[in-house]
Amino acid sequence: GPILTIKKHNKALSTIDDLLKIGSLTPYMARFLNAAVLAKLNIIICGSSSSGKTSLLNALGNLIDPNARVITVENVSELKIKKNNIIHLNPINNEDLITDSLKMFPDTLIIGEIDKTNTMQTMNIMLDNNNINVLTTILSSDVIETINKFETIGYEESNLSSKLMRDKLYNAIDLIINIKELSDHKRKITSICEFNKNKDNEIVLKEIFAYKV
């Protein structure tokens, strides 16, 4: 017979303070992320399914300057960001809402999840629109898999080599945050990384925060 599956997000987890209370991050991490959002950094949250990506994106969205113009783009309405100056966009007939959102001159663009269809488009916004910062998520188990996904999509979509794609990532993405569901079913931010360059001018990952068992 028929089977119905209902996916429900915990409405109580919508702020950084909420995530602090359940131990998803430390006070130092919370202060760092608060500063990162206010500084309008481009941030990608990665994690597997049901790892807490949307809850963390909600929490970051609620840290945005109250005077900022915010636009969200989602296939399904899941974000609960409490801002006065916010516009929520949902597609009806496969519209290119990301491009449409730029015509509304946002200060911050929040994309519910990027996938193969809009990864390069999102990257180009990060690169070319200095007045707009992007907060988004990607379905990926960790930071390394996230980078590998970007490199694969960059090659398939634009025939970019891994080196050229990493150059784009270095210039576009400020932070990559990994959140995981642990074996005890608690959600934890396990890593916050940025791109850096070593003495040989090679692009490398620098881990700012790491979860240690």
Side-chain angles (χ1 to χ4, degrees):
I3 297 173
L4 175 66
T5 300
I6 300 175
K7 181 180 179 182
K8 293 181 68 176
H9 290 281
N10 190 338
K11 294 181 180 180
L13 300 178
S14 61
T15 69
I16 283 290
D17 287 340
D18 295 333
L19 297 181
L20 273 170
K21 288 176 184 176
I22 65 171
S24 292
L25 73 168
T26 67
Y28 289 111
M29 296 164 77
R31 287 199 292 269
F32 175 81
L33 292 177
N34 184 58
V37 171
L38 292 177
K40 297 188 63 177
L41 300 188
N42 292 316
I43 301 174
I44 291 183
I45 301 166
C46 65
S48 56
S49 181
S50 300
S51 61
K53 298 187 299 298
T54 301
S55 294
L56 180 54
L57 186 60
N58 257 323
L60 295 187
N62 283 310
L63 294 174
I64 296 170
D65 185 328
N67 297 315
R69 181 173 172 81
V70 181
I71 295 179
T72 70
V73 176
E74 302 177 86
N75 289 329
V76 179
S77 295
E78 295 179 330
L79 295 174
K80 306 297 179 185
I81 297 171
K82 300 168 185 176
K83 297 289 175 187
N84 292 326
N85 195 4
I86 188 167
I87 299 170
H88 299 282
L89 300 180
N90 301 100
I92 297 176
N93 296 310
N94 297 317
E95 303 101 325
D96 184 2
L97 292 184
I98 294 179
T99 297
D100 291 343
S101 69
L102 298 181
K103 300 173 184 176
M104 302 179 189
F105 303 105
D107 295 309
T108 297
L109 177 60
I110 301 178
I111 301 172
E113 183 172 284
I114 57 172
D115 54 29
K116 188 175 180 180
T117 64
N118 59 18
T119 297
M120 296 306 296
Q121 185 182 22
T122 304
M123 284 273 295
N124 289 331
I125 293 171
M126 293 179 178
L127 284 166
D128 299 335
N129 291 275
N130 294 327
N131 296 322
I132 303 173
N133 71 303
V134 177
L135 306 177
T136 188
T137 72
I138 187 170
L139 182 62
S140 181
S141 61
D142 55 35
V143 175
I144 298 301
E145 184 182 339
T146 299
I147 295 170
N148 290 338
K149 273 193 169 186
F150 275 108
E151 290 178 349
T152 301
I153 292 169
Y155 179 76
E156 292 176 349
E157 297 293 316
S158 306
N159 201 29
L160 294 173
S161 66
S162 293
K163 184 180 183 305
L164 288 175
M165 192 60 188
R166 289 218 176 185
D167 285 337
K168 276 183 170 287
L169 292 173
Y170 174 79
N171 290 305
I173 300 170
D174 296 303
L175 294 176
I176 301 178
I177 305 170
N178 185 218
I179 187 167
K180 289 187 176 182
E181 181 183 9
L182 305 183
S183 57
D184 58 1
H185 301 296
K186 291 182 179 178
R187 272 75 172 176
K188 296 275 188 183
I189 293 178
T190 58
S191 181
I192 300 177
C193 295
E194 67 177 354
F195 288 101
N196 216 326
K197 287 190 176 182
N198 61 20
K199 61 181 180 180
D200 298 318
N201 206 36
E202 297 172 332
I203 296 172
V204 294
L205 273 176
K206 177 184 175 183
E207 196 164 50
I208 303 170
F209 290 94
Y211 174 72
K212 303 295 183 183
V213 180

